[in-house]
Amino acid sequence: MRYNRGERKVVMADEKSLPSVGLVLEGGGLRGLFTAGVLDVFLKEDIRFPAVVGVSAGAAFGCNFKSRQAGRPLRYNARYCRDPRFFSLRSLWKTGDLFGADFCYRELPLELDPFDFDTYEADPTEFWAACTDMATGKTEFFLCSDPDKTRLMEIFRASASMPLVSRPVVLDGREYLDGGIADSVPLLFMEEKGFEKNVVVLTRPRAYRKKKSAALPLISAKYKKYPALQAAMARRHEVYNETLALLEKREREGRVLILAPEAELPAGRTERDPEKLRLCHALGERVALTALPRLRAFLEK
């Protein structure tokens, strides 16, 4: 099931019965271990949300919140971050994917560190993943509830497929890349679904503002057949900063609770130091634990 904001709306049959608090998870590559730390605290404290939308790493790591697998994203990322099958220039050269598609989205979840598909499907939480349609340059949201394990992992892969270093992922005959290209923090999506209040987990400090990408010439050269995608990339920093302004407005209105790092995280998008990944996770846990009283009050109002 898909929902393209601005074109059509999918309304779940029981949507009116759901509590009006959603969860929004930003991406950020391996900075997403901060989000994983936040979510692990939520799992341990049995804090639930009726609906979650994840972007890029927010989807690829956030799905473990629905499968109830605390610690899994940190465990496999710390273990395999230096494995060339996980991500490497060799993988990029041989396959077109910096993060090895077969290793990350088949071998890992099916064999090496199994994803709990049964618990994921049984959990009532709606989990949505944001992907960018390359032809339209718009965000499309996929409801990630599918007994087909391969398709489910392909949706997560599409959401996390960073431009320039990933092959497009084909879903239903259309090509997709990283959801963060067009909508890095899809608060409006959750509001349009009827969630008046939302918890938003960012992977950058609150004061961060995105600058125009220096890679735009490369984007234009590689994606010359996709003018709408190029336009989305050119405006990405503007859209992102407008969204941050909206978040601050909603926070003043009492409709958003933001959880974000206090300073820039020690890990980058493609971090290969497991200790830095562990530190990102620990910082996420600390922020979540500190915010628990505010969070519980926000959820109960």
Side-chain angles (χ1 to χ4, degrees):
M1 185 179 295
R2 296 179 294 172
Y3 164 47
N4 190 314
R5 184 158 61 80
E7 294 184 7
R8 63 183 184 275
K9 182 174 181 180
V10 173
V11 179
M12 305 303 293
D14 61 346
E15 184 172 304
K16 291 184 178 179
S17 66
L18 294 172
S20 58
V21 181
L23 178 62
V24 181
L25 307 176
E26 185 184 17
L30 292 176
R31 291 197 307 271
L33 268 299
F34 173 87
T35 301
V38 171
L39 297 180
D40 281 356
V41 171
F42 290 175
L43 286 170
K44 292 170 185 175
E45 296 291 328
D46 198 29
I47 295 172
R48 295 175 177 255
F49 296 85
V52 181
V53 59
V55 180
S56 194
F61 298 164
C63 60
N64 294 275
F65 180 67
K66 181 172 163 66
S67 68
R68 320 303 291 173
Q69 289 177 281
R72 181 174 176 269
L74 175 61
R75 183 172 62 241
Y76 74 73
N77 278 285
R79 181 175 180 180
Y80 293 108
C81 64
R82 291 177 175 167
D83 191 319
R85 297 172 299 169
F86 186 64
F87 79 89
S88 63
L89 291 177
R90 186 179 75 182
S91 174
L92 179 62
W93 175 258
K94 287 188 173 182
T95 70
D97 290 306
L98 181 66
F99 285 84
D102 184 70
F103 184 78
C104 293
Y105 295 96
R106 185 196 62 79
E107 192 170 352
L108 253 177
L110 297 182
E111 301 171 14
L112 300 177
D113 197 328
F115 183 74
D116 191 340
F117 289 94
D118 291 339
T119 297
Y120 180 92
E121 285 299 319
D123 187 274
T125 305
E126 287 181 25
F127 195 92
W128 297 81
C131 305
T132 300
D133 186 314
M134 294 179 66
T136 66
K138 295 181 179 180
T139 312
E140 191 149 357
F141 297 89
F142 287 81
L143 179 61
C144 301
S145 179
D146 198 313
D148 184 338
K149 298 177 182 180
T150 299
R151 177 177 169 81
L152 187 64
M153 288 295 135
E154 284 294 276
I155 293 173
F156 296 146
R157 182 166 78 91
S159 184
S161 289
M162 296 184 291
L164 296 178
V165 294
S166 306
R167 291 172 297 162
V169 177
V170 178
L171 298 168
D172 305 326
R174 300 188 68 83
E175 295 176 299
Y176 294 93
L177 282 176
D178 195 310
I181 293 172
D183 195 351
S184 296
V185 190
L187 174 66
L188 289 177
F189 168 74
M190 294 301 273
E191 291 185 342
E192 290 173 8
K193 278 184 58 62
F195 292 93
E196 299 174 358
K197 297 171 63 178
N198 292 278
V199 174
V200 178
V201 182
L202 302 177
T203 57
R204 295 281 197 179
R206 294 171 60 103
Y208 172 80
R209 293 297 181 270
K210 192 177 288 294
K211 298 179 181 179
K212 189 173 183 178
S213 174
L216 287 179
L218 292 175
I219 294 289
S220 297
K222 181 161 185 173
Y223 302 114
K224 57 186 177 181
K225 295 181 180 179
Y226 302 91
L229 181 71
Q230 292 182 53
M233 286 294 297
R235 288 201 66 239
R236 185 180 183 185
H237 64 295
E238 297 174 356
V239 173
Y240 185 86
N241 295 337
E242 289 168 2
T243 301
L244 293 182
L246 176 62
L247 284 174
E248 292 174 351
K249 181 176 183 290
R250 292 288 191 265
E251 186 179 43
R252 292 192 297 271
E253 296 168 348
R255 295 173 56 185
V256 159
L257 188 147
I258 300 171
L259 299 179
E262 296 175 356
E264 284 291 342
L265 292 169
R269 283 181 172 272
T270 56
E271 184 59 58
R272 305 199 71 168
D273 184 340
E275 290 308 313
K276 290 183 178 180
L277 298 181
R278 293 187 183 99
L279 180 54
C280 282
H281 187 272
L283 290 170
E285 288 181 312
R286 187 174 74 183
V287 165
L289 287 169
T290 301
L292 275 178
R294 289 190 298 119
L295 175 62
R296 293 191 188 282
F298 182 79
L299 295 174
E300 292 170 2
K301 286 182 181 178

